PDB file of all heavy atoms in Angstrom:
ATOM      1  N   PRO A 419      -7.633  34.499  27.460  1.00 89.00           N
ATOM      2  CA  PRO A 419      -7.320  34.616  28.882  1.00 89.00           C
ATOM      3  C   PRO A 419      -7.541  36.052  29.358  1.00 89.00           C
ATOM      4  O   PRO A 419      -7.646  36.968  28.531  1.00 89.00           O
ATOM      5  CB  PRO A 419      -5.842  34.255  28.945  1.00 89.00           C
ATOM      6  CG  PRO A 419      -5.303  34.706  27.629  1.00 89.00           C
ATOM      7  CD  PRO A 419      -6.409  34.443  26.635  1.00 89.00           C
ATOM      8  N   PRO A 420      -7.627  36.255  30.651  1.00 86.00           N
ATOM      9  CA  PRO A 420      -7.776  37.630  31.153  1.00 86.00           C
ATOM     10  C   PRO A 420      -6.513  38.444  30.878  1.00 86.00           C
ATOM     11  O   PRO A 420      -5.422  37.910  30.740  1.00 86.00           O
ATOM     12  CB  PRO A 420      -7.991  37.425  32.663  1.00 86.00           C
ATOM     13  CG  PRO A 420      -7.389  36.088  32.961  1.00 86.00           C
ATOM     14  CD  PRO A 420      -7.608  35.265  31.736  1.00 86.00           C
ATOM     15  N   GLY A 421      -6.694  39.755  30.797  1.00 84.00           N
ATOM     16  CA  GLY A 421      -5.557  40.635  30.568  1.00 84.00           C
ATOM     17  C   GLY A 421      -5.477  41.079  29.120  1.00 84.00           C
ATOM     18  O   GLY A 421      -6.264  40.658  28.268  1.00 84.00           O
ATOM     19  N   GLY A 422      -4.526  41.938  28.848  1.00 85.00           N
ATOM     20  CA  GLY A 422      -4.381  42.482  27.502  1.00 85.00           C
ATOM     21  C   GLY A 422      -3.853  41.458  26.512  1.00 85.00           C
ATOM     22  O   GLY A 422      -3.342  40.406  26.890  1.00 85.00           O
ATOM     23  N   TYR A 423      -3.976  41.805  25.241  1.00 89.00           N
ATOM     24  CA  TYR A 423      -3.519  40.916  24.173  1.00 89.00           C
ATOM     25  C   TYR A 423      -2.045  41.149  23.883  1.00 89.00           C
ATOM     26  O   TYR A 423      -1.626  42.280  23.607  1.00 89.00           O
ATOM     27  CB  TYR A 423      -4.331  41.143  22.894  1.00 89.00           C
ATOM     28  CG  TYR A 423      -3.828  40.314  21.740  1.00 89.00           C
ATOM     29  CD1 TYR A 423      -4.261  39.004  21.576  1.00 89.00           C
ATOM     30  CD2 TYR A 423      -2.892  40.817  20.829  1.00 89.00           C
ATOM     31  CE1 TYR A 423      -3.789  38.219  20.538  1.00 89.00           C
ATOM     32  CE2 TYR A 423      -2.419  40.041  19.788  1.00 89.00           C
ATOM     33  CZ  TYR A 423      -2.864  38.740  19.652  1.00 89.00           C
ATOM     34  OH  TYR A 423      -2.386  37.965  18.635  1.00 89.00           O
ATOM     35  N   TYR A 424      -1.265  40.080  23.931  1.00 86.00           N
ATOM     36  CA  TYR A 424       0.142  40.112  23.552  1.00 86.00           C
ATOM     37  C   TYR A 424       0.407  38.877  22.705  1.00 86.00           C
ATOM     38  O   TYR A 424       0.309  37.744  23.185  1.00 86.00           O
ATOM     39  CB  TYR A 424       1.049  40.137  24.794  1.00 86.00           C
ATOM     40  CG  TYR A 424       0.726  41.287  25.706  1.00 86.00           C
ATOM     41  CD1 TYR A 424       0.073  41.070  26.917  1.00 86.00           C
ATOM     42  CD2 TYR A 424       1.044  42.594  25.349  1.00 86.00           C
ATOM     43  CE1 TYR A 424      -0.255  42.124  27.741  1.00 86.00           C
ATOM     44  CE2 TYR A 424       0.715  43.654  26.176  1.00 86.00           C
ATOM     45  CZ  TYR A 424       0.065  43.418  27.373  1.00 86.00           C
ATOM     46  OH  TYR A 424      -0.262  44.469  28.190  1.00 86.00           O
ATOM     47  N   GLY A 425       0.734  39.099  21.422  1.00 87.00           N
ATOM     48  CA  GLY A 425       0.788  38.028  20.453  1.00 87.00           C
ATOM     49  C   GLY A 425       1.657  36.852  20.809  1.00 87.00           C
ATOM     50  O   GLY A 425       1.282  35.688  20.609  1.00 87.00           O
ATOM     51  N   PHE A 426       2.849  37.115  21.353  1.00 86.00           N
ATOM     52  CA  PHE A 426       3.778  36.032  21.676  1.00 86.00           C
ATOM     53  C   PHE A 426       3.206  35.132  22.760  1.00 86.00           C
ATOM     54  O   PHE A 426       3.274  33.900  22.667  1.00 86.00           O
ATOM     55  CB  PHE A 426       5.120  36.630  22.120  1.00 86.00           C
ATOM     56  CG  PHE A 426       6.190  35.608  22.374  1.00 86.00           C
ATOM     57  CD1 PHE A 426       6.586  34.717  21.386  1.00 86.00           C
ATOM     58  CD2 PHE A 426       6.832  35.551  23.601  1.00 86.00           C
ATOM     59  CE1 PHE A 426       7.591  33.781  21.625  1.00 86.00           C
ATOM     60  CE2 PHE A 426       7.829  34.627  23.853  1.00 86.00           C
ATOM     61  CZ  PHE A 426       8.215  33.740  22.850  1.00 86.00           C
ATOM     62  N   HIS A 427       2.622  35.735  23.781  1.00 87.00           N
ATOM     63  CA  HIS A 427       2.055  34.970  24.886  1.00 87.00           C
ATOM     64  C   HIS A 427       0.811  34.190  24.440  1.00 87.00           C
ATOM     65  O   HIS A 427       0.604  33.053  24.866  1.00 87.00           O
ATOM     66  CB  HIS A 427       1.700  35.917  26.044  1.00 87.00           C
ATOM     67  CG  HIS A 427       2.873  36.686  26.567  1.00 87.00           C
ATOM     68  ND1 HIS A 427       3.625  36.263  27.636  1.00 87.00           N
ATOM     69  CD2 HIS A 427       3.442  37.842  26.150  1.00 87.00           C
ATOM     70  CE1 HIS A 427       4.599  37.145  27.871  1.00 87.00           C
ATOM     71  NE2 HIS A 427       4.501  38.109  26.964  1.00 87.00           N
ATOM     72  N   TRP A 428       0.000  34.791  23.601  1.00 91.00           N
ATOM     73  CA  TRP A 428      -1.218  34.113  23.153  1.00 91.00           C
ATOM     74  C   TRP A 428      -0.875  32.999  22.158  1.00 91.00           C
ATOM     75  O   TRP A 428      -1.542  31.973  22.118  1.00 91.00           O
ATOM     76  CB  TRP A 428      -2.189  35.124  22.551  1.00 91.00           C
ATOM     77  CG  TRP A 428      -2.856  35.969  23.604  1.00 91.00           C
ATOM     78  CD1 TRP A 428      -2.287  36.487  24.731  1.00 91.00           C
ATOM     79  CD2 TRP A 428      -4.214  36.394  23.626  1.00 91.00           C
ATOM     80  NE1 TRP A 428      -3.205  37.208  25.452  1.00 91.00           N
ATOM     81  CE2 TRP A 428      -4.396  37.170  24.789  1.00 91.00           C
ATOM     82  CE3 TRP A 428      -5.285  36.214  22.771  1.00 91.00           C
ATOM     83  CZ2 TRP A 428      -5.613  37.744  25.123  1.00 91.00           C
ATOM     84  CZ3 TRP A 428      -6.511  36.787  23.089  1.00 91.00           C
ATOM     85  CH2 TRP A 428      -6.666  37.542  24.256  1.00 91.00           C
ATOM     86  N   TYR A 429       0.162  33.227  21.367  1.00 92.00           N
ATOM     87  CA  TYR A 429       0.660  32.163  20.501  1.00 92.00           C
ATOM     88  C   TYR A 429       1.142  30.984  21.353  1.00 92.00           C
ATOM     89  O   TYR A 429       0.822  29.826  21.072  1.00 92.00           O
ATOM     90  CB  TYR A 429       1.802  32.715  19.647  1.00 92.00           C
ATOM     91  CG  TYR A 429       2.588  31.691  18.861  1.00 92.00           C
ATOM     92  CD1 TYR A 429       2.078  31.134  17.697  1.00 92.00           C
ATOM     93  CD2 TYR A 429       3.861  31.310  19.271  1.00 92.00           C
ATOM     94  CE1 TYR A 429       2.818  30.216  16.963  1.00 92.00           C
ATOM     95  CE2 TYR A 429       4.606  30.394  18.553  1.00 92.00           C
ATOM     96  CZ  TYR A 429       4.073  29.842  17.402  1.00 92.00           C
ATOM     97  OH  TYR A 429       4.809  28.927  16.684  1.00 92.00           O
ATOM     98  N   GLY A 430       1.893  31.296  22.398  1.00 92.00           N
ATOM     99  CA  GLY A 430       2.380  30.242  23.286  1.00 92.00           C
ATOM    100  C   GLY A 430       1.252  29.504  23.973  1.00 92.00           C
ATOM    101  O   GLY A 430       1.307  28.280  24.155  1.00 92.00           O
ATOM    102  N   ARG A 431       0.203  30.223  24.342  1.00 94.00           N
ATOM    103  CA  ARG A 431      -0.941  29.578  24.994  1.00 94.00           C
ATOM    104  C   ARG A 431      -1.642  28.625  24.042  1.00 94.00           C
ATOM    105  O   ARG A 431      -2.050  27.517  24.432  1.00 94.00           O
ATOM    106  CB  ARG A 431      -1.916  30.651  25.498  1.00 94.00           C
ATOM    107  CG  ARG A 431      -3.153  30.111  26.196  1.00 94.00           C
ATOM    108  CD  ARG A 431      -3.944  31.272  26.770  1.00 94.00           C
ATOM    109  NE  ARG A 431      -5.220  30.816  27.340  1.00 94.00           N
ATOM    110  CZ  ARG A 431      -6.361  30.744  26.662  1.00 94.00           C
ATOM    111  NH1 ARG A 431      -6.377  31.065  25.371  1.00 94.00           N
ATOM    112  NH2 ARG A 431      -7.467  30.327  27.248  1.00 94.00           N
ATOM    113  N   ALA A 432      -1.814  29.036  22.785  1.00 95.00           N
ATOM    114  CA  ALA A 432      -2.437  28.160  21.800  1.00 95.00           C
ATOM    115  C   ALA A 432      -1.572  26.927  21.551  1.00 95.00           C
ATOM    116  O   ALA A 432      -2.080  25.801  21.408  1.00 95.00           O
ATOM    117  CB  ALA A 432      -2.681  28.901  20.496  1.00 95.00           C
ATOM    118  N   LYS A 433      -0.260  27.116  21.508  1.00 96.00           N
ATOM    119  CA  LYS A 433       0.647  25.990  21.320  1.00 96.00           C
ATOM    120  C   LYS A 433       0.655  25.070  22.546  1.00 96.00           C
ATOM    121  O   LYS A 433       0.801  23.847  22.419  1.00 96.00           O
ATOM    122  CB  LYS A 433       2.056  26.490  21.015  1.00 96.00           C
ATOM    123  CG  LYS A 433       2.236  27.015  19.603  1.00 96.00           C
ATOM    124  CD  LYS A 433       2.085  25.903  18.570  1.00 96.00           C
ATOM    125  CE  LYS A 433       2.472  26.332  17.181  1.00 96.00           C
ATOM    126  NZ  LYS A 433       2.332  25.229  16.199  1.00 96.00           N
ATOM    127  N   LEU A 434       0.501  25.639  23.736  1.00 96.00           N
ATOM    128  CA  LEU A 434       0.382  24.816  24.942  1.00 96.00           C
ATOM    129  C   LEU A 434      -0.882  23.972  24.872  1.00 96.00           C
ATOM    130  O   LEU A 434      -0.861  22.772  25.200  1.00 96.00           O
ATOM    131  CB  LEU A 434       0.364  25.694  26.188  1.00 96.00           C
ATOM    132  CG  LEU A 434       0.058  24.976  27.512  1.00 96.00           C
ATOM    133  CD1 LEU A 434       1.070  23.851  27.783  1.00 96.00           C
ATOM    134  CD2 LEU A 434       0.057  25.978  28.675  1.00 96.00           C
ATOM    135  N   ALA A 435      -1.983  24.582  24.450  1.00 96.00           N
ATOM    136  CA  ALA A 435      -3.229  23.831  24.297  1.00 96.00           C
ATOM    137  C   ALA A 435      -3.035  22.670  23.336  1.00 96.00           C
ATOM    138  O   ALA A 435      -3.474  21.536  23.588  1.00 96.00           O
ATOM    139  CB  ALA A 435      -4.344  24.749  23.804  1.00 96.00           C
ATOM    140  N   ASN A 436      -2.336  22.933  22.228  1.00 98.00           N
ATOM    141  CA  ASN A 436      -2.166  21.899  21.222  1.00 98.00           C
ATOM    142  C   ASN A 436      -1.235  20.787  21.690  1.00 98.00           C
ATOM    143  O   ASN A 436      -1.445  19.620  21.350  1.00 98.00           O
ATOM    144  CB  ASN A 436      -1.655  22.523  19.920  1.00 98.00           C
ATOM    145  CG  ASN A 436      -1.869  21.612  18.741  1.00 98.00           C
ATOM    146  OD1 ASN A 436      -0.922  21.175  18.101  1.00 98.00           O
ATOM    147  ND2 ASN A 436      -3.124  21.291  18.438  1.00 98.00           N
ATOM    148  N   LEU A 437      -0.217  21.141  22.464  1.00 98.00           N
ATOM    149  CA  LEU A 437       0.672  20.109  23.005  1.00 98.00           C
ATOM    150  C   LEU A 437      -0.059  19.261  24.038  1.00 98.00           C
ATOM    151  O   LEU A 437       0.070  18.025  24.038  1.00 98.00           O
ATOM    152  CB  LEU A 437       1.909  20.753  23.626  1.00 98.00           C
ATOM    153  CG  LEU A 437       2.906  19.789  24.276  1.00 98.00           C
ATOM    154  CD1 LEU A 437       3.369  18.717  23.294  1.00 98.00           C
ATOM    155  CD2 LEU A 437       4.084  20.558  24.857  1.00 98.00           C
ATOM    156  N   ALA A 438      -0.826  19.908  24.922  1.00 98.00           N
ATOM    157  CA  ALA A 438      -1.608  19.149  25.906  1.00 98.00           C
ATOM    158  C   ALA A 438      -2.584  18.215  25.191  1.00 98.00           C
ATOM    159  O   ALA A 438      -2.778  17.066  25.609  1.00 98.00           O
ATOM    160  CB  ALA A 438      -2.360  20.115  26.829  1.00 98.00           C
ATOM    161  N   TYR A 439      -3.184  18.708  24.118  1.00 98.00           N
ATOM    162  CA  TYR A 439      -4.102  17.875  23.328  1.00 98.00           C
ATOM    163  C   TYR A 439      -3.379  16.677  22.728  1.00 98.00           C
ATOM    164  O   TYR A 439      -3.869  15.540  22.779  1.00 98.00           O
ATOM    165  CB  TYR A 439      -4.738  18.719  22.233  1.00 98.00           C
ATOM    166  CG  TYR A 439      -5.371  17.911  21.132  1.00 98.00           C
ATOM    167  CD1 TYR A 439      -6.487  17.115  21.376  1.00 98.00           C
ATOM    168  CD2 TYR A 439      -4.827  17.920  19.844  1.00 98.00           C
ATOM    169  CE1 TYR A 439      -7.056  16.343  20.361  1.00 98.00           C
ATOM    170  CE2 TYR A 439      -5.394  17.165  18.827  1.00 98.00           C
ATOM    171  CZ  TYR A 439      -6.506  16.370  19.095  1.00 98.00           C
ATOM    172  OH  TYR A 439      -7.057  15.620  18.106  1.00 98.00           O
ATOM    173  N   ALA A 440      -2.194  16.913  22.164  1.00 98.00           N
ATOM    174  CA  ALA A 440      -1.446  15.823  21.521  1.00 98.00           C
ATOM    175  C   ALA A 440      -1.083  14.734  22.525  1.00 98.00           C
ATOM    176  O   ALA A 440      -1.233  13.536  22.239  1.00 98.00           O
ATOM    177  CB  ALA A 440      -0.190  16.374  20.855  1.00 98.00           C
ATOM    178  N   LEU A 441      -0.615  15.143  23.692  1.00 98.00           N
ATOM    179  CA  LEU A 441      -0.224  14.148  24.696  1.00 98.00           C
ATOM    180  C   LEU A 441      -1.446  13.397  25.219  1.00 98.00           C
ATOM    181  O   LEU A 441      -1.390  12.180  25.446  1.00 98.00           O
ATOM    182  CB  LEU A 441       0.523  14.836  25.839  1.00 98.00           C
ATOM    183  CG  LEU A 441       1.847  15.513  25.434  1.00 98.00           C
ATOM    184  CD1 LEU A 441       2.475  16.202  26.640  1.00 98.00           C
ATOM    185  CD2 LEU A 441       2.813  14.513  24.819  1.00 98.00           C
ATOM    186  N   ASP A 442      -2.549  14.096  25.390  1.00 98.00           N
ATOM    187  CA  ASP A 442      -3.791  13.453  25.811  1.00 98.00           C
ATOM    188  C   ASP A 442      -4.295  12.493  24.732  1.00 98.00           C
ATOM    189  O   ASP A 442      -4.739  11.379  25.019  1.00 98.00           O
ATOM    190  CB  ASP A 442      -4.837  14.531  26.120  1.00 98.00           C
ATOM    191  CG  ASP A 442      -6.140  13.954  26.653  1.00 98.00           C
ATOM    192  OD1 ASP A 442      -6.114  13.265  27.678  1.00 98.00           O
ATOM    193  OD2 ASP A 442      -7.189  14.202  26.029  1.00 98.00           O
ATOM    194  N   LEU A 443      -4.203  12.933  23.485  1.00 98.00           N
ATOM    195  CA  LEU A 443      -4.657  12.109  22.365  1.00 98.00           C
ATOM    196  C   LEU A 443      -3.830  10.828  22.261  1.00 98.00           C
ATOM    197  O   LEU A 443      -4.362   9.770  21.917  1.00 98.00           O
ATOM    198  CB  LEU A 443      -4.561  12.901  21.063  1.00 98.00           C
ATOM    199  CG  LEU A 443      -5.015  12.182  19.790  1.00 98.00           C
ATOM    200  CD1 LEU A 443      -6.514  11.900  19.838  1.00 98.00           C
ATOM    201  CD2 LEU A 443      -4.663  13.020  18.552  1.00 98.00           C
ATOM    202  N   SER A 444      -2.549  10.913  22.559  1.00 98.00           N
ATOM    203  CA  SER A 444      -1.701   9.721  22.471  1.00 98.00           C
ATOM    204  C   SER A 444      -2.202   8.623  23.400  1.00 98.00           C
ATOM    205  O   SER A 444      -2.168   7.438  23.045  1.00 98.00           O
ATOM    206  CB  SER A 444      -0.247  10.075  22.789  1.00 98.00           C
ATOM    207  OG  SER A 444      -0.076  10.386  24.166  1.00 98.00           O
ATOM    208  N   GLY A 445      -2.694   9.008  24.562  1.00 98.00           N
ATOM    209  CA  GLY A 445      -3.258   8.019  25.479  1.00 98.00           C
ATOM    210  C   GLY A 445      -4.568   7.470  24.969  1.00 98.00           C
ATOM    211  O   GLY A 445      -4.837   6.270  25.086  1.00 98.00           O
TER     212      GLY A 445
END
Side-chain angles (χ1 to χ4, degrees):
Y423 176 85
Y424 304 107
F426 184 57
H427 301 266
W428 286 39
Y429 170 77
R431 180 174 174 269
K433 284 294 189 179
L434 173 58
N436 198 243
L437 178 56
Y439 163 66
L441 297 178
D442 183 58
L443 181 66
S444 70

